[in-house]
Amino acid sequence: MPSKSANKAHSANAIDILTEDHKHVMKMFADFKKLKLDEDSDEDAKQILVERACTELTIHAQVEEEFFYPALREALDDTSMLDEAEVEHGIANQLIAELESMEPDDELYDAKFTVLGEYVQHHIE
C-alpha cells in the first residue's frame, strides 16, 4: 500500500500533468488564432491543428472524468465546481464532434473552434 506521502506525490504529479495539458492546448488555440489572421495560411494547417487539439482535449477530458473528478468528489464537500466542469465537458464534446465532421472551409468551422477555446479557457480558470 502506498504511503500518504507517495499518494500526495502522485496527486501533485497528476495536477502538474493536467496543468501542462491546459497550457499546451491553450497554445494551440492561440496558434489557430494566428492562422486565422494570416491570409497566406492554408486550410490544411488549420485542420491539422484543430484535429490535434480535439484529440488532446478528448483524452484530457477522459482522464479528468475517470480519475481526477471522482477523487475530488470524495475529497470535497462542495462539488458545484465539478458539476460545472462536467457541463463544460459535455458542451466541449459536442463542439468537438461537430468539428470532427466538418471541413475547414465549412461555415462556422472557425467560430466553433474559437468558442471551444473560450469554453476551455473558462474550464481552466
Side-chain angles (χ1 to χ4, degrees):
M1 178 180 243
S3 69
K4 286 184 182 182
S5 61
N7 282 338
K8 285 182 183 179
H10 288 301
S11 296
N13 191 28
I15 291 170
D16 290 343
I17 291 169
L18 291 173
T19 301
E20 283 304 310
D21 279 356
H22 288 160
K23 290 176 187 175
H24 179 69
V25 79
M26 289 314 299
K27 182 178 180 331
M28 284 190 248
F29 285 108
D31 290 346
F32 181 83
K33 188 174 183 178
K34 289 176 191 172
L35 284 173
K36 274 188 357 181
L37 297 173
D38 181 2
E39 294 176 12
D40 295 330
S41 69
D42 65 302
E43 298 295 306
D44 289 342
K46 272 201 305 192
Q47 186 172 15
I48 290 167
L49 184 62
V50 168
E51 287 173 356
R52 200 172 85 222
C54 288
T55 298
E56 291 190 24
L57 283 169
T58 300
I59 293 167
H60 179 88
Q62 186 175 357
V63 169
E64 284 183 339
E65 291 167 2
E66 289 183 21
F67 302 104
F68 194 62
Y69 293 169
L72 285 175
R73 284 197 183 280
E74 286 184 24
L76 298 175
D77 292 328
D78 181 8
T79 60
S80 60
M81 272 190 358
L82 294 172
D83 295 340
E84 287 181 27
E86 285 189 35
V87 171
E88 289 168 346
H89 279 202
I91 293 167
N93 288 336
Q94 178 183 346
L95 287 169
I96 287 168
E98 291 173 15
L99 283 161
E100 289 175 337
S101 69
M102 298 174 78
E103 297 295 325
D105 60 348
D106 287 347
E107 188 175 353
L108 302 181
Y109 184 86
D110 290 359
K112 286 181 189 231
F113 191 70
T114 300
V115 169
L116 177 60
E118 291 168 358
Y119 272 98
V120 170
Q121 179 64 42
H122 181 265
H123 173 75
I124 290 170
E125 292 170 4

